[in-house]
Amino acid sequence: DIQMTQSPSSLSASVGDRVTITCRASQSISIYLNWYQQKPGKAPNLLIYAASSLQSGVPSRFSGSGSGTDFTLTISSLQPEDFAAYYCQQSYSTPRTFGQGTKVEIK
Amino acid sequence: QVQLVQSGAEVMKPGASVKVSCKASGYTFTDCYIHWVRQAPGQGLEWMGRINPNSGGTNYAQKFQGRVTMTRDTSINTAYMELSRLRSDDTVVYYCAREEGSSGYFDFWGQGTLVTVSS
């Protein structure tokens, strides 16, 4: 199985900050890496697919980069509605594995 | 518009089985895999398996092999996930999600179904 390791597991930031979350795969997954946002009590919501493609309707302050084993999700200017948990997921092979999540909290 | 609507919350006894449904609408049901993902309170996302609604073929996570069965009924555009021999640590929210074909991401999710296992 491909292991996905996210860091940090949590972070505190202020509105307007630039935030970066990283995700590392235990083997190369090309660009088969997706990012989801989850708010309390809600289902996850797709933000970025294929490492860097922005899902329709997602604000442009979200961006993704990387290939192979190392990936990054960046929020260019954190907004109040962005305080949530973020998960990476590989879709290179089954089992589809998720990172352990990053909780973005208000500083 | 694409929607996945799941069945309601369940309370089950240890050792029992639970069957959660996921009704799809707004697209051709047989065109996209349905995955099942679960989440314990305050914890991360755990992939359980997937079903190909066209063929009925399944792939399960090793952890759930022998305890999970995923099926579908194409006449009513519904996928099912049945988990047997329930334990207290199966008290989690279960989600179904649609896999987009080319890159494998999950573009639509059900609202989640809370299953509580308690004696």
Side-chain angles (χ1 to χ4, degrees):
Chain A
D1 297 2
I2 298 174
Q3 309 302 317
M4 306 301 294
T5 304
Q6 265 181 258
S7 61
S9 56
S10 65
L11 65 90
S12 295
S14 300
V15 172
D17 283 353
R18 182 181 182 90
V19 168
T20 299
I21 300 168
T22 63
C23 181
R24 174 165 288 177
S26 60
Q27 66 184 73
S28 177
I29 57 171
S30 183
I31 60 166
Y32 291 91
L33 189 283
N34 313 302
W35 290 98
Y36 301 88
Q37 177 193 66
Q38 187 181 32
K39 296 183 179 179
K42 299 293 187 182
N45 182 52
L46 178 68
L47 297 175
I48 301 285
Y49 63 93
S52 61
S53 295
L54 192 67
Q55 173 69 346
S56 175
V58 174
S60 59
R61 63 181 179 272
F62 291 93
S63 64
S65 64
S67 66
T69 60
D70 294 307
F71 302 88
T72 300
L73 173 70
T74 300
I75 310 172
S76 61
S77 177
L78 199 65
Q79 297 301 301
E81 60 268 31
D82 301 337
F83 292 95
Y86 294 85
Y87 295 91
C88 62
Q89 179 219 20
Q90 63 83 16
S91 52
Y92 182 81
S93 65
T94 56
R96 299 279 198 260
T97 40
F98 292 88
Q100 77 276 20
T102 297
K103 188 172 183 181
V104 177
E105 299 174 314
I106 302 172
K107 182 183 277 186
Chain B
Q1 70 284 21
V2 174
Q3 279 194 299
L4 299 175
V5 179
Q6 298 182 222
S7 48
E10 303 266 14
V11 179
M12 312 301 296
K13 298 285 189 191
S17 297
V18 68
K19 192 170 186 177
V20 180
S21 67
C22 173
K23 183 170 178 60
S25 61
Y27 73 101
T28 302
F29 179 61
T30 50
D31 280 354
C32 302
Y33 279 90
I34 293 289
H35 294 248
W36 291 89
V37 175
R38 76 178 200 172
Q39 185 172 38
Q43 302 301 307
L45 301 168
E46 180 177 34
W47 184 81
M48 298 181 69
R50 70 176 182 178
I51 183 166
N52 179 335
N54 187 41
S55 66
T58 55
N59 300 99
Y60 301 141
Q62 182 77 14
K63 175 178 178 177
F64 301 103
Q65 286 276 1
R67 243 183 9 118
V68 70
T69 304
M70 295 178 187
T71 56
R72 91 292 189 217
D73 184 339
T74 57
S75 69
I76 56 171
N77 294 344
T78 301
Y80 302 92
M81 186 284 299
E82 184 171 20
L83 189 63
S84 63
R85 303 194 299 279
L86 290 168
R87 309 185 294 250
S88 58
D89 61 357
D90 292 319
T91 295
V92 303
V93 175
Y94 294 83
Y95 294 102
C96 62
R98 185 185 86 155
E99 175 186 323
E100 187 280 340
S102 58
S103 296
Y105 51 85
F106 300 170
D107 57 351
F108 289 93
W109 294 67
Q111 81 276 19
T113 297
L114 173 63
V115 174
T116 302
V117 182
S118 173
S119 54

